Amino acid sequence: MRIFFLSLLISISVSAQEQAVRILHTPPKEKLNKTILDVAETFLGRPYVPATLEKTPEALVINLEAFDCYTLVENVLALSLARHNPEAGLDVYREYLQLLRYRNGVIDGYPSRMHYFTDWARQAVDNGILVNVTEQVGEVQDKPIDFMSVNRRLYPALATDDKAWAEIVKTEKELNENAFYYVPKEKFAAVEPLIEDGDIIAFTSVIKGLDVNHEGFAIRKGGRLHLLHASLDEKKVIISKETLQQYLDRIKKHSGIMIFRPAR
């Protein structure tokens, strides 16, 4: 898919452009998963800042100076995909980012951005970017997803906009028509050996109506899996000192994990 950009629809700082160019001009690793970790590690120490994408009107915001867990994952993936593209460059990166972040790669207001991680991941799978490993090793969780529509007051873009709210309701209905696979935390040890470096790990939620609390990248250190992520606790991008198993067990609001792997 080729996406063409209007300058109106892009918000990117000069420093972000410069950093993206430096990353994109670095030769890729042999495999995409190795490139993903190489790119992600360039952001270690960057501050954790939520809600960096909120812009009126809706625009493709590119911020490489600060991240939340979601924006770290999608920017790293977009940069890595672009680095492996023969036409690697800033425009290719922006195309991948827009394709990942927006439904069908089209910016059409707040509801066109994919706010639920499961929605984001499903589109990436459909576009041949990721493989849903969870479907092979996990089980189906019978959990309706409706947190945003039920709690619309928590989202300024939905609080008073009935049209936008109705679009989110429609998105939730479509999400709930698909099976929701996860690995319960008590079964994590059995699947840990199957997780590879660079896999995206999403932590499913015990919160009613919510699919995922957090996400990051699996990285193996000393033979054990750890998490490279934008940490709310540490307020920056880190590689966790605790193992992935220890992190999952410690956070009570996590019910388990989903695993998504680069498709190439």
Side-chain angles (χ1 to χ4, degrees):
M1 179 182 291
R2 191 79 179 170
I3 301 169
F4 295 93
F5 294 90
L6 298 175
S7 57
L8 283 176
L9 298 180
I10 300 172
S11 175
I12 178 171
S13 69
V14 173
S15 59
Q17 290 188 57
E18 291 173 346
Q19 180 162 23
V21 168
R22 286 197 300 272
I23 290 171
L24 293 168
H25 285 178
T26 303
K29 301 294 184 180
E30 183 179 353
K31 293 186 177 180
L32 182 59
N33 66 327
K34 298 299 184 184
T35 298
I36 283 172
L37 291 183
D38 186 55
V39 172
E41 287 180 338
T42 67
F43 299 121
L44 289 173
R46 292 296 168 89
Y48 179 100
V49 178
T52 58
L53 303 185
E54 306 313 312
K55 187 174 180 64
T56 305
E58 186 73 24
L60 182 66
V61 175
I62 300 177
N63 185 341
L64 299 180
E65 286 106 26
F67 301 93
D68 61 23
C69 59
Y70 210 148
T71 57
L72 178 69
V73 166
E74 67 178 3
N75 272 288
V76 166
L77 182 56
L79 285 163
S80 301
L81 289 164
R83 192 192 274 186
H84 277 260
N85 190 301
E87 301 176 14
L90 194 58
D91 286 344
V92 175
Y93 156 54
R94 291 186 297 202
E95 288 180 19
Y96 278 122
L97 187 62
Q98 184 167 323
L99 180 60
L100 287 167
R101 186 176 292 168
Y102 290 95
R103 186 161 288 101
N104 300 316
V106 177
I107 301 174
D108 186 19
Y110 181 82
S112 67
R113 191 182 347 140
M114 288 179 289
H115 303 277
Y116 285 106
F117 180 85
T118 45
D119 196 20
W120 180 93
R122 183 180 63 178
Q123 176 167 283
V125 169
D126 289 345
N127 286 330
I129 294 171
L130 297 176
V131 174
N132 188 350
V133 178
T134 327
E135 293 181 352
Q136 305 165 25
V137 300
E139 58 191 62
V140 175
Q141 180 176 214
D142 183 17
K143 179 180 182 178
I145 305 302
D146 60 4
F147 185 87
M148 290 185 70
S149 63
V150 170
N151 297 281
R152 63 184 295 190
R153 70 190 182 282
L154 300 178
Y155 302 89
L158 300 181
T160 59
D161 189 332
D162 289 342
K163 182 179 179 182
W165 177 80
E167 286 295 317
I168 293 297
V169 171
K170 180 181 176 183
T171 293
E172 292 170 343
K173 182 176 183 296
E174 292 172 353
L175 274 177
N176 290 321
E177 290 172 353
N178 294 273
F180 180 2
Y181 287 85
Y182 82 126
V183 177
K185 66 165 57 180
E186 62 271 17
K187 297 184 179 180
F188 174 80
V191 304
E192 180 176 1
L194 306 176
I195 296 173
E196 298 180 2
D197 278 351
D199 283 352
I200 296 170
I201 307 297
F203 297 88
T204 54
S205 181
V206 301
I207 299 170
K208 184 178 180 182
L210 188 61
D211 57 344
V212 165
N213 295 320
H214 190 62
E215 52 272 336
F217 296 103
I219 181 168
R220 207 169 288 277
K221 296 288 185 182
R224 293 299 304 275
L225 282 174
H226 294 256
L227 187 67
L228 196 166
H229 64 134
S231 168
L232 177 59
D233 292 341
E234 298 286 340
K235 300 295 190 292
K236 61 184 178 180
V237 178
I238 65 167
I239 297 174
S240 63
K241 294 184 178 68
E242 59 194 342
T243 66
L244 193 50
Q245 173 82 72
Q246 290 167 336
Y247 173 79
L248 179 60
D249 290 342
R250 179 173 63 84
I251 306 298
K252 302 306 180 186
K253 67 179 180 179
H254 295 343
S255 62
I257 65 166
M258 303 175 77
I259 308 161
F260 293 89
R261 181 165 297 153
R264 58 183 172 86

